[in-house]
Amino acid sequence: VQLQASGGGLVQAGGSLKLSCVASGHTISADKISWFRQAPRKERNFVAGIGRTGTTTYTEAVKGRFTISRDNAKNTVYLQMNSLEPEDTAIYYCAVSPTTQSWYASNYREPANYDYWGQGTLVTVSS
């Protein structure tokens, strides 16, 4: 399974970016998928997650600004990021869990629950 994340870049505060995560070698239509981010010298943190039926969960810091979505026909998950802030600067990673078990929101937040990770895409927000 390979996850290819893209869409990162340099943007001014208040701007928008849309990240994509394309899966190959595995169909993600039934999977739980999330985006995490890791800022310099900080640990990797949960950003947003989406379940098989489209149920979503977000970390408080991005609620109302970020939207996670999926296109199963394209085997792709997206993260639309609006009203970006310098604090959003980080490498963004997509992660996939094929588990069929039901998850609480807390389950999405744990990196150890994911089997596959993308290589990351850098988002830099200037002030």
Side-chain angles (χ1 to χ4, degrees):
V1 178
Q2 287 191 324
L3 301 175
Q4 182 69 43
S6 63
L10 174 63
V11 64
Q12 287 188 328
S16 298
L17 285 173
K18 186 173 185 178
L19 306 184
S20 299
C21 176
V22 181
S24 58
H26 174 75
T27 301
I28 62 172
S29 59
D31 295 347
K32 296 166 177 64
I33 306 166
S34 290
W35 288 93
F36 286 75
R37 65 186 180 186
Q38 187 167 17
R41 297 175 297 280
K42 294 188 177 180
E43 63 183 16
R44 190 172 299 188
N45 290 319
F46 171 81
V47 176
I50 187 167
R52 178 181 61 84
T53 60
T55 302
T56 59
T57 181
Y58 298 89
T59 191
E60 195 65 34
V62 308
K63 282 183 179 178
R65 300 189 298 123
F66 291 11
T67 303
I68 187 171
S69 62
R70 64 194 303 162
D71 185 338
N72 292 333
K74 295 182 178 180
N75 225 28
T76 301
V77 173
Y78 303 98
L79 185 67
Q80 176 67 48
M81 306 186 295
N82 299 327
S83 301
L84 282 161
E85 303 168 353
E87 293 74 21
D88 296 316
T89 294
I91 298 174
Y92 284 70
Y93 300 89
C94 56
V96 169
S97 172
T99 182
T100 57
Q101 294 182 336
S102 296
W103 275 11
Y104 295 105
S106 57
N107 296 120
Y108 283 90
R109 284 157 171 74
E110 178 53 55
N113 288 340
Y114 296 85
D115 296 277
Y116 309 113
W117 289 83
Q119 86 290 357
T121 184
L122 176 62
V123 172
T124 304
V125 184
S126 63
S127 58

